[in-house]
Amino acid sequence: MSQASYTNLQLPISHCFSSLYLYVYISVCFCVSVSLLKRFIVPYPCKTVKMGGKIDCYLDIASLYSYLAYLDLLRNRPILASHGVTVEFHPTFLGALNQATGNKPPWTLPAKAAHGPFDAARSIARQGTYPNGSPLNITFPENLFINGKTILPLRALHCIKSKFPPETLDQTLLYLFHIFWSPPNLNLTVPENLKSTLLAVPEGFSGPTANDVKKKKLFSAEQVEEIMKGAQAEEFKGKLKKTTDEALERGAFGAPWIWATNDKGEGEPFFGSDRFHFVYKHLGLPYRDVEVLANGDDPKWGKLWRKENGAKL
């Protein structure tokens, strides 16, 4: 073989070896990368489980525990949605539920009236804040019996629910709860008070701030007029009655009344603002129940316990 022929043959052979080395190099890099990904990612899998279901919450702005349940559901709604669970709020007249079932407001029974301030203070402290982090400022109206005849604002809420997006109902409901239960505890059964309150709802309201007066308003003056007219219209009088009757059919004797339907279509009733562990169990959702910790399980409380009992830290 001539020198020229040998040289011509050598070039393709060396080229083949270069390609082989490149292939091996890429394969090794790929295997190392996969190994690293498995090491750091596999132990922490991200799993999405769609449970499905629905929570129907029947509430009245005159009910403190409706307020607390509303805050709880509002905070947890995004997490519930990630499990495929939807939440719907139904303005319902508590006075009609009491009358239809023979139930009585707690303050009319001496024993319940005496216990009420303790339970209310504990429940309020448990919620702690508005969704935006502002501390809750809750006081009882001087005349809850008069302020509690909330038929007009409840009809207005049904009008808003029918004519505006769901987030508008959320913000308005939260604002009405805030105005009803915070000083000076405006009586929203008075049309002029309800109108001025609707005109004042800040856009995106998630709790009171110092800048609320300067913020853009959720409703225009024309929209508020439409809502006030709706609150007097037969359509929304009928919707409030229908919703209240529906709650009664589902066993309601007070508020908040929750009807939870799981992914099998099985519905069950729940009463109160502190039954969500039962609700989540029925829906098949992962949740943390109340548990007492052993001494030392929590470093902060373990240290405190040892200090109070004279043990060495």
Side-chain angles (χ1 to χ4, degrees):
M1 181 181 291
S2 66
Q3 183 65 31
S5 299
Y6 178 77
T7 302
N8 291 338
L9 179 62
Q10 190 178 33
L11 287 173
I13 291 175
S14 63
H15 179 70
C16 287
F17 275 110
S18 297
S19 298
L20 180 61
Y21 292 148
L22 181 61
Y23 173 77
V24 171
Y25 175 75
I26 292 173
S27 299
V28 170
C29 289
F30 177 77
C31 291
V32 171
S33 299
V34 170
S35 177
L36 289 172
L37 285 171
K38 284 184 177 180
R39 181 177 178 183
F40 291 106
I41 294 178
V42 171
Y44 308 99
C46 182
K47 220 179 215 183
T48 301
V49 181
K50 290 288 184 182
M51 303 292 183
K54 186 181 181 186
I55 295 174
D56 289 288
C57 183
Y58 299 84
L59 40 72
D60 188 337
I61 59 172
S63 161
L64 172 63
Y65 294 97
S66 287
Y67 189 7
L68 299 177
Y70 178 71
L71 288 170
D72 202 305
L73 286 169
L74 205 59
R75 285 193 186 95
N76 288 307
R77 183 186 262 179
I79 300 174
L80 291 167
S82 74
H83 291 291
V85 175
T86 58
V87 179
E88 185 175 356
F89 298 109
H90 304 278
T92 306
F93 185 38
L94 176 57
L97 298 182
N98 286 336
Q99 186 175 15
T101 59
N103 196 9
K104 294 182 179 180
W107 66 84
T108 64
L109 303 174
K112 284 188 176 183
H115 176 70
F118 294 100
D119 191 63
R122 292 164 184 159
S123 300
I124 292 166
R126 181 179 176 273
Q127 283 298 328
T129 65
Y130 294 91
N132 69 351
S134 300
L136 284 176
N137 181 18
I138 293 179
T139 62
F140 280 76
E142 288 186 9
N143 196 332
L144 187 53
F145 182 76
I146 296 298
N147 289 23
K149 296 178 180 179
T150 50
I151 294 174
L152 185 67
L154 292 172
R155 290 173 183 167
L157 286 168
H158 271 287
C159 179
I160 292 166
K161 184 177 180 180
S162 296
K163 296 179 178 293
F164 294 88
E167 57 269 20
T168 303
L169 176 66
D170 293 346
Q171 294 166 36
T172 310
L173 190 50
L174 180 59
Y175 194 74
L176 293 188
F177 269 126
H178 163 63
I179 294 299
F180 188 99
W181 287 102
S182 298
N185 303 100
L186 197 63
N187 183 357
L188 296 176
T189 68
V190 178
E192 293 77 13
N193 290 348
L194 177 60
K195 182 177 179 179
S196 64
T197 298
L198 292 173
L199 286 168
V201 182
E203 191 175 69
F205 182 76
S206 60
T209 69
N211 296 322
D212 282 345
V213 176
K214 300 177 182 177
K215 285 183 180 178
K216 182 181 177 183
K217 303 310 174 189
L218 185 61
F219 301 110
S220 67
E222 292 77 14
Q223 288 173 326
V224 170
E225 288 294 338
E226 181 184 1
I227 294 167
M228 292 300 296
K229 287 180 181 177
Q232 299 290 355
E234 291 301 320
E235 177 184 358
F236 299 109
K237 289 180 181 180
K239 285 200 172 183
L240 177 58
K241 185 179 185 306
K242 181 179 179 181
T243 300
T244 303
D245 288 344
E246 181 179 270
L248 286 168
E249 288 169 7
R250 288 180 160 181
F253 52 80
W257 191 260
I258 292 171
W259 186 268
T261 307
N262 62 22
D263 59 355
K264 299 175 184 177
E266 300 165 337
E268 287 190 8
F270 302 85
F271 174 63
S273 63
D274 56 355
R275 299 294 191 269
F276 286 110
H277 50 308
F278 296 138
V279 173
Y280 299 150
K281 182 177 181 180
H282 173 66
L283 293 173
L285 303 180
Y287 67 96
R288 289 191 182 98
D289 207 343
V290 176
E291 61 176 319
V292 63
L293 299 178
N295 176 38
D297 282 359
D298 185 311
K300 175 185 174 183
W301 292 108
K303 183 176 180 181
L304 179 63
W305 185 91
R306 291 193 296 274
K307 181 178 179 181
E308 289 179 346
N309 287 273
K312 290 183 179 180
L313 300 178

